[in-house]
Amino acid sequence: MFKLKENQTTARTELVAGITTFFTMVYIVIVNPVILSDAGVPFDQVFTATIIAAVIGTLWMAFFANYPIAIAPGMGLNAYFAYSVVGGQQEISYQTAFAAVFIAGVLFIILSLTPFREKLIDSIPESLKHGITAGIGLFIAFIGLRLTKIITAHPTNLVGLGDLHSPSALLALAGLAITLVLMVLRVNGALFFGMIITGLIAFFTNQLSFDQGFVSLPSLPEGLIVANPITALTDVIQHSLYAVVFSFILVTIFDTTGTMIGVANQAGLMKNGKLPRARQALLSDSIATGVGAMFGTSPTTAYIESSSGVAAGGRTGLTSLTVAVLFIVSAFFGPLVGSVSGISAITAPALIIVGSMMMGSIAKIRWDELDEAFPAFITVLSMPLTSSIATGIALGFISYPLLKVFKGKWREVHPLLYVFAVLFFYQLAFLPH
């Protein structure tokens, strides 16, 4: 089913890769409920809804697309939901906001069933594809450094070196050193074993504890939040949430598209600049977005942390299946998952190392041609600085056709790029983000 031999991998490698991806992204089952609870959604509701959405999207990716890419509710989109949509000037309820997410998911499915999203991937220039991959690498490395306080906020320079004597920084640096040594020695599953060793160090230095126990039953205290599509559509029309639906669709399309290109590039799965089985892969997050909204979570996206599993050798849907199974298990081990995911220094070394590996795509950008180089550069630079993959892609999409027009090469630009340059300019200039 997963064509392991054809993809030059083994079941053991795929399982280790899946475990690695899971532990680098499982923080979402804690962080997502924390953020959405600020919008009034019950924590237990979002915890279970997050897992349901992640399982459905990732299983679709595993069985229909056969890619080692995991799906889960996106960071940034949850903050937009909680603080701009529910907590914004319109003062709408979270139930109404989930109606907007559901309608966005339905429209998203329709778009994914058409050739539109496949054509979008094909239309992205090679320089921007490499820039997206490198930008994601820089972004996830920055996340790893920031979460462990190795890099902290600075009053004048915005960021600066943190306290390297803090327990979190010391644990992360120790884990980074151990994992790098394992990687250099070419130990199979080095990223995963690095996390295990770092976790043991955290436990024996009293940074990791299991005070809340290990097991609890999942629950959905509010049941289905969106049960009637007609009611959801009526809510969107009644509250004029068209801009909200548009923002969810636009950001999610490019978050997922950018991540899939980056991870597929890293895994060597792109064929002649195209992504095979793109439609099946792109359906995964649109279906998960619609289902997730019904149970109570913000839009889903492909996870950049999937690159850690690819770095561990993952090449097929068996990696994604492993992630989905572990998400199901995590539903019954909420306290345990919360304890481990709460120690960012355990997973941060994997993010930093994978980030360095993804930066290799920079070498493939044509730096001697400014009309190719600058859009890639602004994409790479803005992803970590704005904490948004979609914003990085937006700035690249705006600058690329603009420079080509002034250089007299406007015919080289795919028509879709002009369309999205205008849409992205409108979104950045006039819509909340």
Side-chain angles (χ1 to χ4, degrees):
M1 176 187 291
F2 297 112
K3 302 178 181 177
L4 300 182
K5 289 184 178 179
E6 184 179 316
N7 287 282
Q8 299 178 334
T9 184
T10 64
R12 180 184 179 278
T13 299
E14 296 292 302
L15 291 174
V16 169
I19 295 170
T20 301
T21 295
F22 173 76
F23 277 107
T24 57
M25 67 178 287
V26 68
Y27 67 85
I28 193 62
V29 303
I30 301 299
V31 176
N32 199 46
V34 168
I35 292 175
L36 293 189
S37 62
D38 285 347
V41 195
F43 185 96
D44 288 348
Q45 181 82 22
V46 187
F47 176 81
T48 305
T50 299
I51 291 172
I52 291 171
V55 168
I56 288 174
T58 306
L59 283 178
W60 186 282
M61 184 71 73
F63 290 119
F64 293 98
N66 195 26
Y67 284 135
I69 300 173
I71 303 293
M75 290 295 294
L77 289 166
N78 49 13
Y80 172 62
F81 177 97
Y83 306 120
S84 295
V85 180
V86 178
Q89 295 180 345
Q90 290 178 277
E91 295 184 354
I92 64 172
S93 67
Y94 66 80
Q95 290 91 344
T96 302
F98 280 128
V101 176
F102 176 78
I103 295 301
V106 171
L107 294 174
F108 210 14
I109 292 171
I110 295 170
L111 284 175
S112 299
L113 286 170
T114 69
F116 170 76
R117 291 184 73 183
E118 288 181 77
K119 289 183 188 275
L120 176 61
I121 291 179
D122 295 341
S123 72
I124 300 175
E126 286 299 308
S127 59
L128 283 184
K129 285 178 180 174
H130 295 312
I132 289 168
T133 303
I136 290 174
L138 199 58
F139 183 27
I140 64 174
F142 178 71
I143 289 172
L145 293 168
R146 180 175 56 80
L147 289 176
T148 54
K149 304 288 195 298
I150 293 175
I151 287 178
T152 58
H154 190 278
T156 54
N157 295 327
L158 299 183
V159 293
L161 188 65
D163 180 10
L164 298 185
H165 298 284
S166 69
S168 176
L170 286 172
L171 180 61
L173 290 171
L176 182 61
I178 291 166
T179 309
L180 282 170
V181 169
L182 294 175
M183 293 282 288
V184 169
L185 295 176
R186 299 186 181 277
V187 174
N188 287 330
L191 289 171
F192 173 66
F193 290 121
M195 283 191 287
I196 293 294
I197 295 171
T198 308
L200 289 173
I201 294 173
F203 179 77
F204 287 112
T205 56
N206 296 320
Q207 295 184 60
L208 175 61
S209 61
F210 304 101
D211 299 332
Q212 303 300 317
F214 295 91
V215 181
S216 66
L217 288 175
S219 65
L220 284 166
E222 299 203 2
L224 279 179
I225 291 180
V226 179
N228 188 330
I230 304 300
T231 303
L233 182 61
T234 303
D235 285 344
V236 169
I237 295 172
Q238 182 179 344
H239 293 87
S240 301
L241 297 178
Y242 310 113
V244 172
V245 172
F246 173 73
S247 291
F248 278 139
I249 291 174
L250 195 61
V251 173
T252 308
I253 280 177
F254 283 92
D255 255 350
T256 300
T257 302
T259 300
M260 285 186 184
I261 288 172
V263 175
N265 253 336
Q266 182 194 0
L269 299 173
M270 300 285 282
K271 306 296 183 187
N272 299 318
K274 297 185 178 183
L275 183 67
R277 306 180 303 282
R279 187 176 300 182
Q280 295 92 321
L282 295 166
L283 267 170
S284 59
D285 65 324
S286 52
I287 290 172
T289 292
V291 174
M294 293 173 67
F295 287 96
T297 188
S298 47
T300 59
T301 184
Y303 255 63
I304 54 178
E305 285 83 355
S306 302
S307 54
S308 63
V310 168
R315 293 294 180 272
T316 73
L318 183 54
T319 293
S320 300
L321 176 59
T322 304
V323 174
V325 170
L326 289 174
F327 265 116
I328 294 172
V329 173
S330 73
F332 298 92
F333 289 88
L336 173 63
V337 171
S339 297
V340 175
S341 64
I343 309 298
S344 56
I346 295 175
T347 55
L351 298 181
I352 296 167
I353 292 169
V354 170
S356 73
M357 296 167 71
M358 295 184 74
M359 284 294 291
S361 292
I362 274 189
K364 300 173 184 175
I365 298 169
R366 302 203 299 269
W367 292 107
D368 56 338
E369 299 177 35
L370 192 60
D371 54 326
E372 293 284 336
F374 184 81
F377 164 75
I378 199 66
T379 299
V380 173
L381 182 67
S382 54
M383 282 187 187
L385 294 185
T386 63
S387 295
S388 169
I389 294 171
T391 299
I393 294 173
L395 294 174
F397 267 52
I398 293 170
S399 58
Y400 187 89
L402 194 63
L403 291 176
K404 290 292 184 182
V405 166
F406 281 102
K407 198 170 181 182
K409 296 182 178 179
W410 60 273
R411 290 185 181 85
E412 296 180 8
V413 181
H414 194 286
L416 272 179
L417 259 65
Y418 289 113
V419 173
F420 276 99
V422 173
L423 290 176
F424 272 128
F425 177 80
Y426 176 77
Q427 192 225 5
L428 291 177
F430 302 108
L431 296 181
H433 46 81

